[in-house]
Amino acid sequence: MENNPTLMKALTFTPMYSQSEDRIRLVINYADYNNRIDLWLTRAFLLKLIPTIEDCLDQYDTTPVNSEVQQKTEQKAQSKTDAPTLSMTEKEGFLVQSVDITYHKEAQQFSLVFKTEQHQVISTLTAPLLRTVLKSIFAAIPKIDWGISPQWIR
């Protein structure tokens, strides 16, 4: 019997470092508990994923980086997350095994599909929003403990 993974749509991303697990817990759809899923991203996986996403952005996003627009996008994309509430409402986490990244030239958007054994989580983002998600994940990483330069990400 084949086990088909469930497909979920990601509307929000809330990364948080778990010291006990020594990995990033990426909470998808934080504010919607019924449609929320917690994903685990390991150090080794992120060290491969971050440069891959940056390379895709460099290859396909030809719009000049406007720092004012990027700053407004980042402010708009940030949601107020209550860390103690997030910890108390922790759900079972699923280890991300792969991420598929596709660029849609006509729409000028990227699709990300996070794959675990049981779930597939999909999101379609513009380049500025994808950069914001990438930066928020990077901000949650314990850079010194993981041996990563704070200036590593562009």
Side-chain angles (χ1 to χ4, degrees), residues 40-133:
W40 287 117
L41 300 168
T42 65
R43 176 187 181 276
F45 188 81
L46 281 170
L47 289 177
K48 294 174 189 167
L49 180 65
I50 289 173
T52 300
I53 292 176
E54 282 190 318
D55 289 346
C56 285
L57 283 164
D58 290 345
Q59 181 179 356
Y60 295 110
D61 180 30
T62 57
T63 57
V65 177
N66 180 327
S67 59
E68 186 178 319
V69 170
Q70 184 66 33
Q71 199 171 31
K72 286 181 181 177
T73 301
E74 289 174 11
Q75 289 170 348
K76 193 168 116 179
Q78 290 176 353
S79 62
K80 298 201 187 288
T81 304
D82 180 5
T85 301
L86 182 59
S87 296
M88 288 175 23
T89 61
E90 186 172 331
K91 291 182 115 178
E92 175 186 3
F94 298 94
L95 183 65
V96 174
Q97 298 174 329
S98 67
V99 176
D100 292 344
I101 305 166
T102 308
Y103 180 68
H104 306 282
K105 189 174 183 176
E106 315 76 47
Q108 296 183 336
Q109 294 181 328
F110 293 87
S111 289
L112 297 177
V113 181
F114 295 85
K115 296 180 178 181
T116 73
E117 283 186 14
Q118 299 91 346
H119 303 281
Q120 290 188 6
V121 179
I122 187 166
S123 183
T124 304
L125 304 164
T126 62
L129 280 174
L130 180 54
R131 285 186 197 282
T132 300
V133 169

Side-chain angles (χ1 to χ4, degrees), residues 26-46:
L26 184 61
V27 180
I28 306 296
N29 304 331
Y30 163 72
D32 183 359
Y33 192 78
N34 292 328
N35 292 305
R36 175 180 152 181
I37 183 169
D38 292 14
L39 303 175
W40 287 117
L41 300 168
T42 65
R43 176 187 181 276
F45 188 81
L46 281 170

